[in-house]
Short mmCIF file of all heavy atoms in Angstrom, two decimals:
data_model
loop_
_atom_site.label_atom_id
_atom_site.label_comp_id
_atom_site.label_asym_id
_atom_site.label_seq_id
_atom_site.Cartn_x
_atom_site.Cartn_y
_atom_site.Cartn_z
N THR D 1457 -52.61 -38.61 -5.17
CA THR D 1457 -51.17 -38.79 -5.07
C THR D 1457 -50.78 -39.51 -3.79
O THR D 1457 -49.62 -39.58 -3.46
CB THR D 1457 -50.44 -37.44 -5.11
OG1 THR D 1457 -50.86 -36.66 -3.99
CG2 THR D 1457 -50.73 -36.71 -6.41
N PRO D 1680 -8.21 -33.73 0.43
CA PRO D 1680 -6.85 -33.88 0.96
C PRO D 1680 -6.16 -32.52 1.09
O PRO D 1680 -6.57 -31.53 0.47
CB PRO D 1680 -6.15 -34.76 -0.07
CG PRO D 1680 -7.25 -35.44 -0.81
CD PRO D 1680 -8.40 -34.49 -0.82
N ALA D 1697 -10.20 -38.97 -4.51
CA ALA D 1697 -9.29 -38.85 -3.37
C ALA D 1697 -9.96 -38.01 -2.30
O ALA D 1697 -10.47 -36.92 -2.56
CB ALA D 1697 -7.98 -38.20 -3.82
N ASP D 1798 -32.86 -76.48 15.58
CA ASP D 1798 -32.97 -76.75 17.00
C ASP D 1798 -32.02 -75.92 17.84
O ASP D 1798 -32.08 -75.94 19.07
CB ASP D 1798 -32.71 -78.24 17.26
CG ASP D 1798 -33.82 -79.11 16.71
OD1 ASP D 1798 -34.95 -78.58 16.59
OD2 ASP D 1798 -33.55 -80.27 16.38
N ALA D 1928 -52.82 -35.37 25.70
CA ALA D 1928 -53.91 -35.80 24.85
C ALA D 1928 -54.31 -37.24 25.13
O ALA D 1928 -55.43 -37.64 24.89
CB ALA D 1928 -53.52 -35.67 23.37
N ALA D 1938 -62.80 -48.46 21.12
CA ALA D 1938 -63.94 -48.42 20.21
C ALA D 1938 -63.44 -48.53 18.78
O ALA D 1938 -62.81 -47.62 18.26
CB ALA D 1938 -64.72 -47.11 20.39
N SER D 1943 -64.00 -43.17 7.42
CA SER D 1943 -64.44 -43.20 6.03
C SER D 1943 -63.26 -43.13 5.08
O SER D 1943 -63.35 -43.55 3.94
CB SER D 1943 -65.39 -42.04 5.77
OG SER D 1943 -64.76 -40.82 6.06
N PHE D 1950 -55.37 -45.79 -0.06
CA PHE D 1950 -53.99 -45.96 -0.49
C PHE D 1950 -53.83 -46.98 -1.59
O PHE D 1950 -52.95 -46.86 -2.42
CB PHE D 1950 -53.12 -46.37 0.71
CG PHE D 1950 -51.67 -46.08 0.50
CD1 PHE D 1950 -51.22 -44.78 0.49
CD2 PHE D 1950 -50.79 -47.12 0.27
CE1 PHE D 1950 -49.88 -44.54 0.28
CE2 PHE D 1950 -49.47 -46.87 0.06
CZ PHE D 1950 -49.02 -45.56 0.08
N VAL D 1953 -50.29 -48.47 -3.76
CA VAL D 1953 -49.26 -47.51 -4.20
C VAL D 1953 -47.90 -47.90 -3.67
O VAL D 1953 -46.91 -47.85 -4.34
CB VAL D 1953 -49.63 -46.09 -3.74
CG1 VAL D 1953 -48.51 -45.11 -4.07
CG2 VAL D 1953 -50.91 -45.65 -4.44
#
Side-chain angles (χ1 to χ4, degrees):
T1457 62
D1798 291 333
S1943 58
F1950 201 71
V1953 174

